[in-house]
Amino acid sequence: MSEVRVQTEDFDLGAEVARLRAGDPGVGAVVSFVGTVRDMNEGAAVAEMELEHYPGMTEQSILAIVEQAKLRWPLSGALVIHRVGPLKPLEQIVLVATTAAHRGVAFAACEFIIDYLKIEAPFWKKEQTPEGARWVDARVSDAAALAKWTRA
C-alpha cells in the first residue's frame, strides 16, 4: 500500500501507522518520522509557518518519490501525509511512515523519502517572525542529505 495525502487537518500518528500495517502479517518493521514546527529558525522567533502547495502536482511529486523508494527497497507500504496552511510551533507538519519485513529497509526508505520530500516536493514555506513575514529556502544540509542517495 502506498498513500499520499496533502491536507490542512492534523493527523493521529498511532491511527495512521495502525492503518498502514493492518492485515499484513509480513510486516516486521514500521518506521515513522514526524516533522513539527519549531519556534525558532535562523536565529528568529517563529510565531507561525504557512505552507502553500500546487494541488495535484504536489501529490504526484510525492507519489513519485515514494515509487522511487519502492524501486530501491522491498517495502510493504509507505504513507506520506503533509499538511498545508497556517501552522503554529509544536504542530505536526509531515508524517512519513514505511513498513517492510526488516528494519533496515524501513529505516532507509523512510529517510530517503523525507530527504527527497524536503528538496523536491513543491511546497512553499513562509514564516511569521517579529521582523515580519519571510519565505524559507531549502537548507544546504537538506541538499547534502539528498546528495548521499545519488552516491549510494
Side-chain angles (χ1 to χ4, degrees):
M1 169 194 151
S2 296
E3 185 177 354
V4 170
R5 295 193 326 252
V6 176
Q7 62 191 44
T8 57
E9 305 82 27
D10 199 5
F11 53 85
D12 178 327
L13 173 63
E16 295 295 347
V17 167
R19 196 171 60 75
L20 179 62
R21 63 184 287 247
D24 189 343
V27 171
V30 178
V31 172
S32 64
F33 168 83
V34 175
T36 59
V37 179
R38 293 183 310 272
D39 65 347
M40 294 288 292
N41 189 28
E42 297 179 6
V46 175
E48 180 180 273
M49 179 171 65
E50 185 165 357
L51 286 109
E52 298 178 6
H53 76 298
Y54 191 100
M57 175 193 253
T58 303
E59 292 85 349
Q60 289 303 312
S61 175
I62 298 170
L63 191 56
I65 294 166
V66 169
E67 292 305 316
Q68 287 178 47
K70 290 175 77 176
L71 289 172
R72 289 179 85 130
W73 296 281
L75 292 175
S76 302
L79 170 65
V80 177
I81 301 173
H82 206 298
R83 295 182 63 202
V84 292
L87 299 168
K88 301 281 187 206
L90 300 175
E91 288 192 76
Q92 300 180 124
I93 304 169
V94 62
L95 165 63
V96 175
T98 56
T99 58
H102 303 284
R103 71 179 181 273
V105 166
F107 271 111
C110 187
E111 186 177 15
F112 174 91
I113 292 169
I114 195 65
D115 286 348
Y116 269 81
L117 185 68
K118 291 284 288 182
I119 296 288
E120 301 215 342
F123 289 101
W124 297 271
K125 299 176 188 176
K126 184 171 37 172
E127 294 176 335
Q128 295 295 333
T129 71
E131 293 78 35
R134 67 180 182 189
W135 292 99
V136 179
D137 292 325
R139 291 189 172 91
V140 172
S141 60
D142 292 336
L146 183 62
K148 76 178 173 224
W149 298 110
T150 60
R151 295 187 304 262

